[in-house]
Amino acid sequence: MKWKKPLLSLKPYQPGRTIDEVKKQFGLEKIVKLASNENPFGCSPKAAAAIRDYSPLLSLYPDGYATKLREAVSEHLKVRPEQLIFGDGSDELIQIISRALLHSGTNTVMASGTFSQYKHNAVIEGSEIREIPLMNGAHDLPSMLNAIDEKTSVVWLCSPNNPTGVYIKREDIYAFLSKVPKDVLIVLDEAYYEYVHAEDYYDALSLVEEYQNLIVLRTFSKVYGLASLRVGYGIANEDIIKVLDPARPPFNVNALAQAAAIEAIQDQAFVDECRAANQEGLKQFYQFCEDQQLKYFPSQGNFVLIDFECDGNEVFQFLMERGYIIRSGVPLGFPTFVRVTVGSTEQNEGVISKMKEFLEVKATLS
C-alpha cells in the first residue's frame, strides 16, 4: 500500500474508558464518568423531545446545507447564514481546515499542551508543526507570533484551553491578531465558550468582523449536552466559508443531530442553569485543592487540571477501580496531573472523597 508516510507513525485518538468497560473489568455496578468533559446534566428537555418525536423518514438523507439549523444559529448569534459552516463535531471542522490549508511545504503553529487533534491532522497532511510551550497553562502568544513565517498556513488557538482551562484575555488576543499576517488563517477553538465567566474575555464574533483571517469553532457537545450526536460549527467571513465548504463531506451532519441542535440553541435557560451549576462545582474542586495544598489551574471550562505530584496514571487507576473515570494527564502532556470533569454536586463530592483516599494511601506509603 502506498500510504502517506506520516500516517504510519500515528495512533488513533484514544478516548477515555467507557462505563461498560470499567463495569466489566472491576465488577462494579455504578460508574461515574468524569473524563470527557460531557455535560453531567444531559441535554435540554426540548432537544431530547426533538429526538424522541422525530418523524421524517430515516431512509432520506439529511439536509446537506443544514438550512434550518443554519437559520437557528444565525439568529442566535446575530451573524449572516453565509458565515457559518457545520461539521460532524468541531473535530471534523479541524480536519476540513487541515485538509484545505496544510500540506508539505507549509507549517502550522500551535501550543504544546493543547487539544491533540490540531497536531494529529497536521501530521497526516505532511505540514511542519511548530509547537510553543504553554506558560502557566496559557498560550505564549508572543512566542507563537515569532514562530510565524512566510510558510505558515494555520495558527491554532484554544480558549479556554483544553486541558488547562486557561483563557486568552481580551487585550492579549487583540494584540496578537493585529500582528498575524493576513494570509495566515487563525483558528480560535471555543468548545467551552458557554462556560466562560471571566470579565476580561473577548467577544469572538466582533473579532470575526474585524479580522478577515479568523475562524471561530464552537460545538454542541459540551454545555448543550449533545456529544453523542456530533454537531460543531464554524463562524468566519463569507470568503473563508466559500473556500472551506467544498472540503466538507456531503450530508455530514445527520438529521437527528440537526433537529436536536435547533431546539438546544433555543433553550438558553438550560445553558444558564448548567453554567451556574458548573461554577458551584468548580468551587468544590478549588476548595479540595486548597485544603490539600494541591496545585491546579483555575478553569473557564467544565473541568479542572490538578497536580497530584505523582504519576497521573496512578491517580487515574486508583479512582477507576473505585468507580470514577477521570483523565490522566500523562497523554495530555501533564504527567503528574489529572483532568476531572465537573459533575453534579453529588458526583463531585464522590470523586473528591476518593481523591482524598488516594492522598491518604500515598501519605502512608511515603
Side-chain angles (χ1 to χ4, degrees):
M1 296 294 180
K2 300 174 183 177
W3 302 110
K4 285 184 174 180
K5 289 183 179 179
L7 193 60
L8 301 177
S9 65
L10 285 177
K11 294 181 180 179
Y13 179 78
Q14 295 296 318
R17 297 287 300 275
T18 67
I19 290 174
D20 287 340
E21 278 182 294
V22 177
K23 278 185 176 180
K24 183 177 180 180
Q25 182 176 358
F26 298 106
L28 299 170
E29 293 184 2
K30 181 181 178 182
I31 300 294
V32 176
K33 184 169 179 266
L34 300 172
S36 301
N37 303 340
E38 296 145 333
N39 190 335
F41 307 107
C43 66
S44 161
K46 296 178 181 179
I51 299 169
R52 184 178 62 249
D53 301 336
Y54 186 79
S55 59
L57 292 175
L58 295 180
S59 59
L60 300 179
Y61 285 109
D63 174 7
Y65 191 62
T67 305
K68 291 182 179 179
L69 175 58
R70 185 178 299 270
E71 291 171 353
V73 175
S74 171
E75 173 61 26
H76 175 66
L77 299 179
K78 307 304 179 188
V79 300
R80 296 178 295 282
E82 296 79 14
Q83 289 183 270
L84 299 169
I85 184 171
F86 292 89
D88 185 29
S90 54
D91 294 342
E92 185 183 46
L93 295 174
I94 294 167
Q95 185 180 58
I96 289 169
I97 291 167
S98 300
R99 184 180 183 188
L101 285 160
L102 299 181
H103 53 82
S104 177
T106 66
N107 68 65
T108 180
V109 178
M110 64 193 71
S112 174
T114 192
F115 187 46
S116 63
Q117 291 303 288
Y118 312 145
K119 181 176 181 178
H120 184 92
N121 282 282
V123 170
I124 292 173
E125 301 303 334
S127 183
E128 177 194 348
I129 298 160
R130 297 183 175 180
E131 293 182 279
I132 309 301
L134 297 172
M135 290 185 65
N136 299 318
H139 287 66
D140 181 356
L141 295 180
S143 295
M144 293 182 76
L145 192 63
N146 288 337
I148 297 172
D149 62 19
E150 68 280 358
K151 293 185 178 180
T152 303
S153 189
V154 181
V155 175
W156 306 89
L157 304 175
C158 188
S159 179
N161 185 50
N162 178 15
T164 62
V166 178
Y167 69 106
I168 301 173
K169 295 180 180 180
R170 184 187 303 118
E171 61 179 310
D172 294 335
I173 199 162
Y174 270 101
F176 180 78
L177 294 176
S178 66
K179 296 174 183 175
V180 175
K182 302 306 180 187
D183 62 348
V184 175
L185 182 68
I186 304 150
V187 182
L188 182 54
D189 188 346
E190 288 194 314
Y192 300 93
Y193 162 75
E194 288 82 5
Y195 287 111
V196 173
H197 56 276
E199 293 183 0
D200 57 349
Y201 197 71
Y202 52 84
D203 177 3
L205 301 186
S206 295
L207 294 176
V208 165
E209 290 301 313
E210 186 169 350
Y211 297 97
Q212 301 299 296
N213 57 333
L214 173 68
I215 183 168
V216 175
L217 305 185
R218 292 182 182 172
T219 182
F220 283 89
S221 295
K222 302 305 179 184
V223 79
Y224 289 107
L226 298 177
S228 67
L229 293 181
R230 314 304 299 123
V231 189
Y233 61 97
I235 314 147
N237 75 71
E238 295 170 28
D239 290 337
I240 288 178
I241 300 300
K242 284 179 183 177
V243 180
L244 277 181
D245 208 37
R248 175 182 60 82
F251 313 116
N252 60 329
V253 180
N254 73 75
L256 282 171
Q258 291 185 39
I262 289 168
E263 295 301 320
I265 204 166
Q266 293 174 344
D267 190 357
Q268 289 300 306
F270 175 80
V271 173
D272 292 341
E273 291 170 4
C274 292
R275 183 188 297 111
N278 187 69
Q279 285 301 299
E280 294 304 309
L282 285 171
K283 291 177 184 177
Q284 289 178 269
F285 285 103
Y286 295 166
Q287 188 63 57
F288 159 71
C289 291
E290 289 161 10
D291 290 344
Q292 301 295 325
Q293 297 183 321
L294 298 177
K295 291 183 292 185
Y296 67 96
F297 290 102
S299 177
Q300 295 291 322
N302 66 334
F303 55 88
V304 186
L305 191 65
I306 304 172
D307 188 359
F308 278 79
E309 298 183 342
C310 65
D311 186 344
N313 287 336
E314 293 181 19
V315 188
F316 165 78
Q317 186 69 26
F318 183 94
L319 295 177
M320 184 169 58
E321 291 175 3
R322 289 154 181 81
Y324 290 89
I325 310 174
I326 61 164
R327 194 73 189 268
S328 168
V330 173
L332 304 177
F334 294 84
T336 64
F337 288 73
V338 299
R339 191 192 68 192
V340 56
T341 303
V342 177
S344 66
T345 299
E346 180 183 5
Q347 290 172 337
N348 298 337
E349 289 173 349
V351 73
I352 286 171
S353 70
K354 299 304 177 185
M355 288 177 171
K356 289 179 180 177
E357 283 184 26
F358 174 82
L359 292 172
E360 291 169 0
V361 171
K362 178 185 171 188
T364 60
L365 296 175
S366 60

